[in-house]
């Protein structure tokens, strides 16, 4: 399955790691991602997820994020069904991240 993490737990366990050590994937749609996303997050919208799953390295931990943790949990369950085993879901999502005042990035064309 996957492990739920709060924003604080993510920061404690992963935020200081090099992004080469894990994958941070935002499954929100392009416009949502452009508005604000966690630093270093790669956008693979849930609507494209099954077609783009080959972009996700099975050998590295995968942390999935959306707005509130629902879509990212769906993506985590899908990856688990494919045999991925180092899966994490940011349970409070980008919304919770922002509410805590943590830094977000924005796409330049937003």
């Amino acid at each position: 399955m996957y492990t739920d993490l709060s924003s604080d737990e993510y920061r404690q366990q992963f935020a200081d790691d090099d992004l080469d050590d894990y994958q941070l994937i935002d499954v929100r749609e392009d416009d949502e991602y452009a508005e604000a996303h966690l630093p270093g997050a790669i956008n693979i919208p849930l609507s494209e997820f099954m077609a783009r799953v080959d972009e996700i390295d099975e050998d590295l931990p995968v942390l999935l994020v959306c707005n509130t943790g629902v879509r990212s949990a769906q993506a985590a369950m899908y990856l688990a069904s494919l045999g991925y085993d180092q899966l994490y879901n940011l349970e409070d999502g980008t919304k919770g991240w922002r509410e805590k005042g943590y830094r977000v990035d924005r796409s330049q064309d937003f």
Side-chain angles (χ1 to χ4, degrees), residues 23-60:
Q23 300 158 96
L24 177 58
I25 300 173
D26 190 321
V27 301
R28 295 175 302 149
E29 295 303 313
D30 294 335
D31 60 327
E32 295 173 282
Y33 175 84
E35 181 183 339
H37 54 270
L38 275 67
I42 298 165
N43 188 218
I44 303 178
L46 191 59
S47 61
E48 303 171 12
F49 205 77
M50 289 176 23
R52 294 179 58 189
V53 72
D54 61 334
E55 297 175 32
I56 303 169
D57 188 338
E58 194 172 346
D59 296 326
L60 290 175

